[in-house]
Amino acid sequence: MAGTGVFEEIIEGDVFKYYTDGEWKKSASGKSVAIINPTTRTTQYKVQACTQEEVNKVMESAKIAQKQWAKTPLWKRAELLHKAAAILKEHKAPIAECLVKEIAKPAKDSVTEVVRSGDLISYCAEEGVRILGEGKFLVSDSFPGNERTKYCLTSKIPLGVVLAIPPFNYPVNLAVSKIGPALIAGNSLVLKPPTQGAVACLHMVQCFNLAGFPKGLISCITGKGSEIGDFLTMHPGVNCISFTGGDTGVAISKKAGMVPLQMELGGKDACIVLEDADLDLVAANIIKGGFSYSGQRCTAVKVVLVMESVADELVEKVNAKVAKLKVGPPEDDCDITPVVSESSANFIEGLAKDAKTKGATFCQEYKREGNLIWPLLLDNVRPDMRIAWEEPFGPIVPVIRINSIEEGIHHCNASNFGLQGCVFTKDINKAILISDAMETGTVQINSAPARGPDHFPFQGLKDSGIGSQGITNSINMMTKIKSTVINLPTPSYTMG
């Protein structure tokens, strides 16, 4: 159960504490932030409403701790990460319980997220030891006009203090995808969790605390974005920001200044279906890609672009599968669970109403109870409808019928997003040509978009983000190159 056993020290009364200097503390503000259960729409948990002064103290502690951590041998950093991963997986049940109650993630998927996170941390430890354990040796005479009088040694060194801001939909996994690379690279880490998902993050941070990381190296500060959000992202003590979320990331990028940024800001992932595609495979992937976790995934299928000649058959197959989806509370492992908030549900409803007004075909009756929206496939969607372009982040999938491959590619590339896309065809030559033409960070061939496995590169173009994620890319992004040049008095050549 949340807040019990090894997690007992992270809560006092009914309010969870924040974490800094190796201790769980109450905010001097005396205020808390309520976390609303999406299913019951009542307050489930409360977390500390930290102040700007407390942010200052966290940053100072992180700066001091990082200087010592950078002197810690790589093998020791990896050892502690492996230990944290084991503790995290050992206590998957209470953390998964938080995910069920905070973000309405189905119980089975919640456990999977925690276990996956532990595996990510362990992989990160191993990968970090490999790629940070080697550097480069350059000689000067490879450049025209130079003798061999200079030896250049390069290595990767930490950036300093990394600010990590994960989203509500994968608060644990997308937190550790930032924490693991930052720590193995020798950085300190300040975590600002999303409000929905904050308690799961606090439990996860306790696993790092139990693993024995140095005081001040990891901090987790909770509070209202309106009070500490900009203060955190613009803080002079921050040396790197890794953010996953939505439009807020654009504002952060404009304010952050000379700070390395790693950002994933959503997508409108297109699924292009050619005439020769295996329609049973396509239908299964539209269900998996469009409706899993109620469509609240950056890599969800968000628009289907299908050739007119096979559209009727595909829509029929998808509708048959939609009818079998289980709708209800996350505790019952339902396929479709409540979306994260009332405002999200209202936004999704607005997209559906707009499509209805403009003549889209509703393959199912629109149905909503509170934050719970039944799965909906919209056929005959046209480009003048909002749903053709906007990211619903809900269980609603639009189908646009196309008459040529070029038409599908044009719609995909006309979007301001460019995270992922997918193409279904039995012709690998066409698949490669379409993949090259799609302006997205990743294209999946004959499978729905997906973030993972976690060591794969993950990046977006245009408004979908800055930089690239994935374990190796994140480690490299959270370091910089340091060069040391040895100058010789006379040229020196190894004769062999």
Side-chain angles (χ1 to χ4, degrees), residues 268 383 388-389 407-417 439 462:
K268 184 66 177 176
W389 305 105
E407 187 181 347
I409 293 171
H410 174 77
H411 185 93
C412 170
N413 292 349
S415 172
N416 61 310
F417 291 113
E439 296 172 0
K462 298 184 281 190

Side-chain angles (χ1 to χ4, degrees), residues 29-344:
S29 72
K31 299 177 182 178
S32 63
V33 179
I35 297 174
I36 307 300
N37 183 317
T39 306
T40 64
R41 292 188 291 164
T42 59
T43 298
Q44 183 69 49
Y45 302 121
K46 295 177 184 177
V47 296
Q48 302 295 322
C50 293
T51 66
Q52 292 184 1
E53 181 56 36
E54 284 162 339
V55 169
N56 283 333
K57 291 178 181 177
V58 162
M59 290 298 174
E60 185 60 31
S61 296
K63 182 179 180 180
I64 294 170
Q66 189 274 324
K67 298 300 182 186
Q68 291 302 313
W69 180 245
K71 299 175 183 178
T72 304
L74 266 174
W75 67 265
K76 183 64 176 178
R77 298 181 205 166
E79 187 178 77
L80 286 170
L81 283 170
H82 281 303
K83 189 174 180 181
I87 295 170
L88 184 67
K89 291 200 278 190
E90 179 185 352
H91 298 289
K92 60 182 180 288
I95 301 174
E97 176 195 320
C98 295
L99 294 173
V100 170
K101 293 181 177 179
E102 286 189 276
I103 62 171
K105 180 165 284 190
K108 185 178 179 181
D109 293 343
S110 295
V111 172
T112 298
E113 177 175 344
V114 181
V115 174
R116 172 186 179 184
S117 299
D119 292 337
L120 190 159
I121 296 168
S122 291
Y123 193 105
C124 188
E126 293 297 322
E127 185 73 353
V129 167
R130 284 191 289 269
I131 66 175
L132 297 171
E134 60 182 38
K136 282 187 176 181
F137 175 69
L138 304 174
V139 290
S140 54
D141 65 309
S142 59
F143 195 87
N146 286 271
E147 295 283 354
R148 188 169 295 191
T149 56
K150 295 175 182 287
Y151 291 162
C152 179
L153 309 175
T154 70
S155 60
K156 294 182 174 73
I157 62 171
L159 294 176
V161 179
V162 174
L163 173 62
I165 308 176
F168 81 84
N169 56 346
Y170 289 88
V172 175
N173 183 256
L174 283 170
V176 301
S177 73
K178 307 172 191 304
I179 296 171
L183 295 183
I184 193 66
N187 300 289
S188 58
L189 191 289
V190 175
L191 176 66
K192 169 58 177 75
T195 299
Q196 304 288 138
V199 174
C201 280
L202 292 168
H203 281 71
M204 174 269 295
V205 168
Q206 172 67 344
C207 295
F208 282 85
N209 179 39
L210 295 171
F213 281 86
K215 292 182 177 181
L217 187 67
I218 305 168
S219 301
C220 185
I221 190 158
T222 56
K224 295 180 180 178
S226 59
E227 295 178 6
I228 63 170
D230 282 352
F231 192 75
L232 268 168
T233 56
M234 298 172 68
H235 200 284
V238 172
N239 304 115
C240 172
I241 300 174
S242 179
F243 174 90
T244 304
D247 294 342
T248 304
V250 177
I252 291 173
S253 69
K254 292 177 179 178
K255 299 174 183 177
M258 294 283 288
V259 173
L261 301 176
Q262 182 186 53
M263 295 198 164
E264 190 269 283
L265 309 178
K268 184 66 177 176
D269 300 6
C271 172
I272 298 178
V273 184
L274 303 194
E275 292 167 315
D276 68 338
D278 179 338
L279 296 185
D280 289 319
L281 177 66
V282 178
N285 275 274
I286 289 174
I287 293 295
K288 178 181 76 172
F291 295 108
S292 62
Y293 187 40
S294 301
Q296 297 176 110
R297 297 163 46 250
C298 292
T299 54
V301 170
K302 300 199 179 89
V303 61
V304 177
L305 302 164
V306 57
M307 295 295 285
E308 178 71 56
S309 61
V310 295
D312 286 343
E313 186 179 355
L314 177 61
V315 168
E316 182 181 348
K317 289 178 180 293
V318 175
N319 278 330
K321 292 181 179 295
V322 169
K324 296 177 182 178
L325 292 174
K326 185 180 178 183
V327 181
E331 290 84 355
D332 295 344
D333 266 330
C334 293
D335 301 303
I336 305 296
T337 56
V339 296
V340 71
S341 67
E342 184 177 355
S343 61
S344 293

Side-chain angles (χ1 to χ4, degrees), residues 359-372:
T361 301
F362 277 53
C363 297
Q364 295 79 28
E365 178 187 358
Y366 177 77
K367 185 178 179 182
R368 172 185 173 185
E369 291 181 5
N371 294 342
L372 184 62

